[in-house]
Amino acid sequence: MYVKVCGLTDPATVDVAVDAGADAIGVVMNQTSSRAVAADVARTIVDRAAGRVDTVLVVNDMPAVDAARIAADLGFSVLQLHGSYTADDFTAASAVFARLWRATSLANDPPLQVGAYGEENLLLDAPRPGSGERWDLSVLADLGVCGRWLLAGGLSPTNVADAVGQVRPWGVDVSSGVESSPGVKDHAKVRAFVEAARRAGTSLT
């Protein structure tokens, strides 16, 4: 079970996520997000995580090519384009930055085949991304999503095991579910989430 802890805003949480066994950390640079950080903070977080986990730049409101250039400049290992980006956007970004993830929700009626836009991984989020709202996972049962896809949206240490058992994703992504307030990670919850996700993943094998 691949585990990503997203929305980090300080370097100290990198150590917590890594020590807990996370595979990736995410940094948000959307203008409208309460978890957005400036470039200098993002670089500090990336430097702290360098070589230990995947570092993912998450954007949804800037041109894909600009995001790709920022990801390269700040040293991220992955760029996650979230929302209404098109196949052409992914093609343009891939000319600048190699590793791309596509994040979307069923509300956007996206193609659910992993790699449809040339992305490495697909992330399926709640209808309102970043809201922390749980959503009806039963709709995934008939859609046949397979391959390297991550489940996100409303996950927490207390419900991630049930969610994994229900839809059997390749990985999971958490942000608000391990926070004490928007943008402030609760270190105990981060550890509990990674442990619960790992245990749930083991039960699938």
Side-chain angles (χ1 to χ4, degrees):
M1 181 59 54
Y2 187 97
V3 182
K4 173 173 169 256
V5 181
C6 199
L8 270 64
T9 58
D10 65 276
T13 307
V14 172
D15 296 333
V16 175
V18 171
D19 291 344
D23 299 286
I25 57 99
V27 177
V28 178
M29 293 185 73
N30 300 333
Q31 295 180 5
T32 57
S33 174
S34 60
R35 301 171 185 88
V37 300
D40 59 335
V41 176
R43 188 186 297 276
T44 302
I45 293 172
V46 169
D47 289 347
R48 187 74 158 255
R52 299 195 287 168
V53 291
D54 285 331
T55 53
V56 184
L57 172 60
V58 179
V59 302
N60 74 358
D61 56 8
M62 70 173 70
V65 170
D66 291 349
R69 290 174 180 145
I70 290 172
D73 180 62
L74 296 180
F76 282 92
S77 50
V78 177
L79 170 60
Q80 178 178 310
L81 297 175
H82 204 308
S84 58
Y85 291 98
T86 66
D88 287 343
D89 290 325
F90 276 80
T91 298
S94 69
V96 178
F97 195 82
R99 297 184 63 190
L100 303 179
W101 293 6
R102 176 166 60 100
T104 187
S105 78
L106 299 184
N108 295 329
D109 191 27
L112 294 178
Q113 179 183 356
V114 179
Y117 288 1
E119 75 275 9
E120 175 182 301
N121 292 339
L122 172 66
L123 185 147
L124 289 179
D125 205 346
R128 288 205 310 127
S131 66
E133 296 175 351
R134 297 188 66 176
W135 54 294
D136 183 7
L137 300 182
S138 65
V139 299
L140 292 175
D142 298 326
L143 296 178
V145 187
C146 60
R148 292 168 60 107
W149 73 278
L150 287 80
L151 178 68
L155 297 179
S156 71
T158 59
N159 67 25
V160 65
D162 287 342
V164 167
Q166 185 176 356
V167 299
R168 305 174 72 87
W170 174 80
V172 291
D173 178 291
V174 68
S175 185
S176 59
V178 292
E179 290 181 339
S180 56
S181 62
V184 180
K185 294 294 185 280
D186 181 311
H187 292 178
K189 288 182 178 179
V190 170
R191 295 186 186 96
F193 181 88
V194 176
E195 180 182 358
R198 289 279 186 222
R199 191 183 307 117
T202 300
S203 70
L204 297 181
T205 59

